Amino acid sequence: MKKSWIVTIASVVIMVPLLLLVVSIKENKADQKAINAVPDIKKFESRSSEWGKYYQRQYDSYMKTRKSDEIKDVLKEEPALVVMWAGYGFAKDYNAPRGHYYALEDNINSLRTGGPVDAQSGPMPTACWTCKSPDVPRLIEKNGELDYYTGKWARFGGEVANTIGCADCHDNKTMKLTATRGYLQQGLDAAGSLKYADASHQEMRSLVCAQCHVEYYFKKTEWTDAKGEKKTANVVTLPWDNGLSAEAMELYYDQREFSDWQHAISKTPMLKAQHPGYEMFVTGVHGKQGLSCADCHMPYVREGGVKYSSHQVGSPLQNIANTCLNCHQGTEKEFRATVERKLERKNELSRTAMSVLAKAHLEAGKAWELGATAEEMKPVLQDIRHAQWRWDFSIASHGSFFHAPEETLRVLGSAINKGQDARLKLRSVLAKYNAANYEAPDFSTKEKAQAIVGLPFGKLVEEKKVFLNGLRGQWIEEGKAKGVYDAKSREGMQFKTSYN
Amino acid sequence: MKFVAVCCVVAAVGLAAFVGHEARVLTYLSGNPKVCINCHTMNTHYATWQHSSHRDSATCVDCHLPRDNFLEKMLAKSRDGYNHSLAMTLGSYGNNLRIKGNAAKRIQANCISCHQELVSQMLANAELYHEKGRMTLDRPCWECHRGLPHGTTRNLLATQNNIGVKEL
């Protein structure tokens, strides 16, 4: 009897502190919840300034991408490009990239997107918006992916109102990094190297960038809409089924007999590589060490007593102390010199490749002119196709010379080799038609090169100006009426292009 | 009365189990860094480590717990765990945590065990170039290497909005 009492009292006595402990733990958990809570931002909120109200440091640093505003006309610097891209939009206008702040603006102002006069005109498909704006996921959600990818670029001029921003990479409910474009998941799953669903936070710090900084093409897809009307969609697709290397993707395109365009001079079924930044990065030493894009391009910075990831995405060289020197010993000066030397090496091979390729196109053009047959030209064109693809693949992502110098130089080497193979074959064809001594015309300036390829530059600029002074204004009004236009994202923006 | 006693014992045991469950006691058996952010107090340390160059080579326990034998490791873990839960429960900590005593010694030992070549070279140099007994060998590494790996700003309010830390 007495024993029972003792046991009872002891149990009750023990329970008192335990209960207090439960209360304390619950309180701490509530604190944690409050600390980790995120503000309520509505789904598909494409106006970054709305997110910026809650994440001011991130937003302010993101807005600093406006400092990267220099227009560098690459066609002027490398006129061979005009010849290499004859018959394709890139021969019209091609500038070095600027900050994210300008992504949409530059897409709209580029001569490549032409001067549409209504929703059904212009040279480009809707797919061109895909990487430029957080308004895109909303449009995909609205009527489905196939509908979004159908029609002309101008169709969504009034809907796509904001440049790359918060909603492109962050979940509005949890702020977690998330891919808002489906093709990345499909591409990763096709490649099989990393399942999207298994990606860690660290891997996501690269994958959100890989939504755009990858090689893609517009896959023509037939579909039937709800009314039973047959339509063709241009679906953004990553050609990763055979792997992520230049050769694997080349094979992918060859297997499907795909070409982006037929070259205006050499009649080659050409491929255009589009900045395979992620694919190159994973082959390089930093990628292999498990670094992410954000580690160097969005360094962790201190502002007063607070640390955060800088959203001023740009060259890590602007902040060597917080990027390279986080892991490396050495001085800023040494690092700058090392990187410059890498760039020179890439440029050396790239210039050689460009000269070889431009000449190959012009020599092929001459061969056609003299009456060469399709059969004679077939192996030549295959070489040109592969050579230019490889050159483009190596340099289109700009940073590849640093991200993966060995791979970049390797692929450039094979581009030069294939290009010279084409020219060797061409010499026998030319000799057959008594033009063994043919020399390609001079393409040493942008104007000369554009004249050779017969590009009506003046006309393109006129059309663009009509568009900018007309339809463009209507789009802005439309965006305002729909409540998606963010005036803050354009404060103090200057109109800068290569043609004005 | 016997029945009441049994009920009370069952209730006490149940409550203890519930406390354990609420405090995620079992997770502490693992060495995963995410366990350390069971408490938000460690958010800043987790975030700063996650952005440091030590991130790929050492987790929390690699530096903060002894690595030479399992028993030592568990003892140290329990000791820290007790101190931490006490501080959490009583709220007896400020926003600037500083390591000291036994915990600091452990870290120093771990610095040395990983960076052995470097340290033995330093010792060899000291023996060659300094008078015997003039060199103090007990200064912690982080007296000079102040930013490693958590940075010099490690106030608990320093890493707001850090999404990497929220994925519990």
Side-chain angles (χ1 to χ4, degrees), chain A residues 201-434:
Chain A
H201 175 68
Q202 176 64 7
E203 279 157 343
M204 285 309 295
R205 282 159 51 91
S206 289
L207 289 180
V208 290
C209 310
Q211 295 183 91
C212 297
H213 295 260
V214 288
E215 158 64 11
Y216 64 85
Y217 75 109
F218 299 161
K219 186 178 183 174
K220 289 227 179 310
T221 310
E222 309 290 336
W223 65 291
T224 316
D225 71 3
K227 292 178 196 151
E229 217 177 309
K230 283 211 180 317
K231 290 185 170 173
T232 308
N234 282 294
V235 182
V236 171
T237 308
L238 312 184
W240 290 358
D241 293 38
N242 305 328
L244 270 59
S245 69
E247 287 85 350
M249 295 192 213
E250 187 184 85
L251 178 67
Y252 174 100
Y253 288 133
D254 285 354
Q255 283 167 337
R256 288 159 183 75
E257 292 183 355
F258 174 84
S259 68
D260 282 291
W261 90 103
Q262 193 193 51
H263 197 275
I265 300 168
S266 67
K267 298 186 186 168
T268 310
M270 297 297 294
L271 294 170
K272 175 75 188 79
Q274 332 265 5
H275 42 71
Y278 175 78
E279 299 93 321
M280 277 293 205
F281 170 72
V282 293
T283 71
V285 67
H286 290 94
K288 288 257 185 291
Q289 284 291 333
L291 263 80
S292 67
C293 307
D295 282 319
C296 308
H297 290 278
M298 304 176 70
Y300 209 44
V301 290
R302 202 182 89 186
E303 202 172 85
V306 177
K307 289 177 163 180
Y308 65 100
S309 288
S310 165
H311 283 54
Q312 187 183 356
V313 178
S315 167
L317 294 179
Q318 290 164 348
N319 201 349
I320 290 178
N322 279 320
T323 54
C324 314
L325 301 187
N326 238 349
C327 304
H328 291 281
Q329 303 291 321
T331 64
E332 287 203 18
K333 206 173 152 202
E334 284 167 4
F335 272 79
R336 217 169 276 284
T338 305
V339 176
E340 265 166 26
R341 184 70 194 107
K342 284 182 198 286
L343 181 60
E344 281 165 11
R345 290 191 186 106
K346 184 270 288 187
N347 283 341
E348 190 182 317
L349 285 195
S350 175
R351 289 206 175 99
T352 307
M354 288 190 280
S355 153
V356 164
L357 280 161
K359 284 174 184 160
H361 282 300
L362 292 165
E363 287 159 1
K366 185 71 183 174
W368 285 117
E369 201 183 300
L370 295 170
T373 65
E375 201 163 320
E376 286 170 336
M377 293 298 281
K378 202 175 171 190
V380 172
L381 301 191
Q382 185 74 338
D383 278 344
I384 295 181
R385 168 182 162 97
H386 289 171
Q388 187 154 329
W389 157 255
R390 290 169 189 217
W391 159 82
D392 211 350
F393 190 93
S394 323
I395 62 105
S397 66
H398 305 291
S400 58
F401 78 93
F402 178 82
H403 297 149
E406 301 87 351
E407 183 68 358
T408 301
L409 298 178
R410 181 189 76 82
V411 179
L412 274 174
S414 83
I416 294 169
N417 189 33
K418 290 249 176 215
Q420 293 292 40
D421 275 353
R423 293 184 70 201
L424 274 175
K425 287 171 187 163
L426 271 167
R427 277 298 135 181
S428 8
V429 177
L430 287 168
K432 199 171 159 184
Y433 295 95
N434 303 320

Side-chain angles (χ1 to χ4, degrees), chain A residues 80-245:
Chain A
L81 295 173
V82 178
V83 178
M84 290 157 69
W85 288 326
Y88 199 53
F90 280 86
K92 301 173 185 174
D93 189 6
Y94 178 53
N95 306 320
R98 304 202 286 165
H100 278 167
Y101 177 80
Y102 299 102
L104 186 68
E105 187 72 5
D106 288 350
N107 175 274
I108 291 170
N109 292 343
S110 170
L111 294 179
R112 296 205 295 279
T113 46
V117 289
D118 55 32
Q120 289 78 37
S121 57
M124 288 302 185
T126 51
C128 284
W129 295 116
T130 311
C131 267
K132 305 294 174 199
S133 168
D135 290 297
V136 168
R138 182 185 72 245
L139 295 172
I140 291 176
E141 181 83 358
K142 203 164 130 190
N143 299 320
E145 199 178 47
L146 288 166
D147 177 79
Y148 164 77
Y149 286 122
T150 303
K152 291 286 188 197
W153 175 72
R155 182 185 157 200
F156 291 130
E159 291 268 11
V160 179
N162 302 288
T163 188
I164 298 168
C166 316
D168 282 312
C169 308
H170 290 285
D171 182 293
N172 63 305
K173 279 212 163 56
T174 61
M175 294 300 141
K176 262 182 104 155
L177 293 173
T178 177
T180 49
R181 315 295 202 267
Y183 53 78
L184 176 67
Q185 297 187 34
Q186 289 148 18
L188 285 169
D189 293 346
S193 47
L194 164 69
K195 271 211 174 77
Y196 176 78
D198 301 341
S200 64
H201 175 68
Q202 176 64 7
E203 279 157 343
M204 285 309 295
R205 282 159 51 91
S206 289
L207 289 180
V208 290
C209 310
Q211 295 183 91
C212 297
H213 295 260
V214 288
E215 158 64 11
Y216 64 85
Y217 75 109
F218 299 161
K219 186 178 183 174
K220 289 227 179 310
T221 310
E222 309 290 336
W223 65 291
T224 316
D225 71 3
K227 292 178 196 151
E229 217 177 309
K230 283 211 180 317
K231 290 185 170 173
T232 308
N234 282 294
V235 182
V236 171
T237 308
L238 312 184
W240 290 358
D241 293 38
N242 305 328
L244 270 59
S245 69

Side-chain angles (χ1 to χ4, degrees), chain A residues 1 7-8 11 18 22 26 29 32 35 55 57 175 201-202 205 289 295 300 302 305-307 326-327, chain B residues 1 5 9 19 22 37-38 40 48 51 53 55-56 150-153 158-164 167:
Chain A
M1 193 67 196
V7 169
T8 306
S11 302
L18 280 177
V22 169
K26 285 275 186 200
K29 278 189 164 177
Q32 182 174 38
I35 286 169
Y55 299 100
R57 291 183 183 88
M175 294 300 141
H201 175 68
Q202 176 64 7
R205 282 159 51 91
Q289 284 291 333
D295 282 319
Y300 209 44
R302 202 182 89 186
V306 177
K307 289 177 163 180
N326 238 349
C327 304
Chain B
M1 192 62 224
V9 170
V19 169
E22 278 299 299
I37 45 173
N38 273 344
H40 60 258
T48 46
H51 286 89
S53 54
R55 150 186 96 188
D56 293 328
H150 295 295
T152 46
T153 304
T159 54
Q160 304 147 0
N161 311 327
N162 199 298
I163 53 170
E167 34 165 48

Side-chain angles (χ1 to χ4, degrees), chain B residues 104-148:
Chain B
K105 281 204 183 71
R106 282 183 241 145
I107 296 182
Q108 179 73 354
N110 284 328
C111 293
I112 292 170
S113 81
C114 269
H115 296 282
Q116 221 154 12
E117 290 98 2
L118 205 67
V119 180
S120 39
Q121 188 57 54
M122 279 159 56
L123 287 174
N125 290 350
E127 278 190 12
L128 275 174
Y129 304 113
H130 290 270
E131 269 177 57
K132 277 255 179 297
R134 286 290 302 274
M135 268 295 286
T136 47
L137 292 173
D138 54 355
R139 291 181 71 184
C141 301
W142 55 91
E143 227 172 72
C144 298
H145 300 272
R146 289 173 54 200
L148 284 178

